[in-house]
Amino acid sequence: MSSTVNLVKLVEQGAADEVARVMQICNACRYCEGFCAVFPAMERRRTFSTGDAAYLANLCHHCGACYHACQYAPPHEFGVNVPQALATLREDSYIAYAWPGPLAGLFRRNGLVVVLVLMLGLALVTGAMLAMISPQLFWGAHIGEGAFYVLMPHYVMAGIPGFITAFSVVALIQGWRRYWRHTGARWGGFTALRGAVSALASLRHLGGEHTGKGEGCPGPDETNSRARQYYHHATFYGFMMCFAATSLATAYHYILGREAPYGYLEPPVLLGTVGGIILCIGTAGLFYEKQRMATAVKSVREYGMDYAFIAILFLVSFTGLVLLAVRETSFMGLTLAIHLGAVYAFFLIMPYSKFVHGLYRFAALLADEGEKQG
């Protein structure tokens, strides 16, 4: 499959060439064809354009199982390292498809430092602004519905992330379009859509096989574990529960005419609390699992946005839980400023962080299901 879109130069040729080289070797061997979806997709090709390589890179879950099973892995002279080659190109593809192009440089920065500085800067500005407007209100205790908006009007608190989110959504759509056109993906119909949603929701490829019956991903001692799959599930479903809590709270505000904060046992708070706890566990676990991953299969780039995205997700959920705990005390103003700083930073970096992995991964699964339909 070849691309007719003039985006080829956006993806670094060296990384794409390395993927094409190892895929040619793997296509001749095929020992790993029972592993993840990358290998059946590879077998449907004889040559690999940069679009094909980017597609396979985003189809990979980076579990590392194929590296530990490969007879041609280093120190063999072929030096086949599929997880590392795909991970390196995958990170390059995030830069290649980012929109607008000049902001793609954020991927190359030390992501963790950028995110922490951005969050602290936004929290400091928000906190200082609220404290200067009315120190008595900022350090006072406020109880009952509408307590948050004593410090900051609802239209300001909701308007800032709304504006940032609108820009981020446009940037994500443009990135998706670039990815879809460059990889030559085609819509496979609703059957393919159902298959892609099923694969995404179950994360079955993180089991180490495309059937979902594998024993999990190998750690540095090559012992298989499903820990990464469980932490991914916790992160995804924790995030979705928090999103549902925010959506429900919005309905409370505009439809029922009730202002936050709500009672501890009301649905928006229960969903946000359980989702926040699950999200904290999932992101902390993913951070740990990334640390213990075998060095040999890690990307050679190490842009740091992987860690930055995990860190900001953890901070958003953790500061939200702390705000819930102290919302009826004099620390509510300070905690609210820190939480809003984390939320604003999250929405700002969303199109230039590992968040795009979810979009491109789903697009790759959708294309894969379409190809299987024929």
Side-chain angles (χ1 to χ4, degrees):
M1 183 178 296
S2 61
S3 170
T4 57
V5 182
N6 188 22
L7 287 172
V8 173
K9 292 181 180 178
L10 289 175
V11 174
E12 187 169 321
Q13 193 62 41
D17 286 346
E18 176 60 10
V19 169
R21 183 186 76 84
V22 298
M23 288 291 99
Q24 293 284 1
I25 296 171
C26 292
N27 226 352
C29 171
R30 299 196 174 186
Y31 179 80
C32 296
E33 63 181 2
F35 286 21
C36 75
V38 167
F39 296 96
M42 171 198 75
E43 292 176 6
R44 293 192 287 266
R45 292 161 170 78
R46 294 293 179 269
T47 59
F48 300 90
S49 67
T50 56
D52 292 326
Y55 158 61
L56 295 174
N58 284 282
L59 197 56
C60 169
H61 251 316
H62 201 200
C63 74
C66 57
Y67 172 80
H68 295 288
C70 182
Q71 60 187 318
Y72 300 122
H76 190 279
E77 60 183 331
F78 287 180
V80 172
N81 190 335
V82 175
Q84 185 178 74
L86 294 178
T88 301
L89 180 60
R90 185 166 54 249
E91 293 182 351
D92 284 352
S93 74
Y94 299 159
I95 297 171
Y97 304 131
W99 182 92
L103 291 181
L106 289 173
F107 280 108
R108 294 192 174 92
R109 304 288 185 267
N110 188 333
L112 191 55
V113 173
V114 168
V115 164
L116 292 178
V117 169
L118 185 63
M119 174 192 154
L120 291 175
L122 290 169
L124 185 62
V125 169
T126 305
M129 179 185 68
L130 296 177
M132 285 191 293
I133 291 173
S134 177
Q136 292 81 10
L137 289 177
F138 185 75
W139 293 110
H142 310 283
I143 299 174
E145 293 190 9
F148 293 150
Y149 310 125
V150 171
L151 296 173
M152 179 185 284
H154 176 268
Y155 71 89
V156 176
M157 192 182 294
I160 293 175
F163 176 78
I164 298 172
T165 303
F167 168 78
S168 295
V169 168
V170 172
L172 290 170
I173 291 173
Q174 292 290 348
W176 168 286
R177 289 182 67 245
R178 288 183 167 196
Y179 169 86
W180 192 262
R181 292 167 59 196
H182 182 214
T183 58
R186 290 181 174 81
W187 169 246
F190 288 101
T191 303
L193 177 63
R194 187 165 56 248
V197 170
S198 172
L200 184 72
S202 63
L203 295 174
R204 63 171 177 259
H205 299 139
L206 267 178
E209 294 182 4
H210 60 80
T211 61
K213 299 179 181 177
E215 298 176 347
C217 302
D221 58 356
E222 301 187 30
T223 302
N224 290 331
S225 165
R226 285 185 174 270
R228 277 190 65 206
Q229 189 176 23
Y230 298 147
Y231 289 135
H232 264 92
H233 274 304
T235 300
F236 178 75
Y237 289 108
F239 179 83
M240 295 308 292
M241 289 181 74
C242 290
F243 180 75
T246 304
S247 301
L248 198 54
T250 302
Y252 270 48
H253 185 93
Y254 289 106
I255 298 175
L256 302 181
R258 294 184 55 194
E259 295 186 329
Y262 306 110
Y264 293 108
L265 297 180
E266 294 201 64
V269 178
L270 285 176
L271 271 174
T273 303
V274 176
I277 293 172
I278 293 174
L279 191 51
C280 280
I281 295 171
T283 49
L286 286 178
F287 194 94
Y288 172 71
E289 288 298 320
K290 288 189 74 65
Q291 289 289 323
R292 64 187 293 272
M293 182 180 287
T295 303
V297 302
K298 291 183 178 179
S299 165
V300 299
R301 299 273 192 269
E302 290 290 347
Y303 290 136
M305 291 307 282
D306 280 13
Y307 292 103
F309 182 64
I310 293 172
I312 195 65
L313 266 182
F314 176 85
L315 289 169
V316 168
S317 53
F318 181 74
T319 57
L321 292 171
V322 174
L323 177 60
L324 176 69
V326 305
R327 72 183 192 182
E328 295 181 354
T329 73
S330 58
F331 289 103
M332 190 263 273
L334 178 64
T335 312
L336 179 63
I338 295 172
H339 179 59
L340 289 177
V343 172
Y344 296 162
F346 168 75
F347 284 113
L348 274 172
I349 71 157
M350 197 163 56
Y352 313 104
S353 69
K354 188 64 180 295
F355 185 85
V356 299
H357 165 68
L359 293 180
Y360 299 161
R361 168 77 181 160
F362 180 69
L365 288 170
L366 194 56
D368 180 54
E369 292 292 332
E371 289 181 2
K372 286 193 286 188
Q373 304 293 326

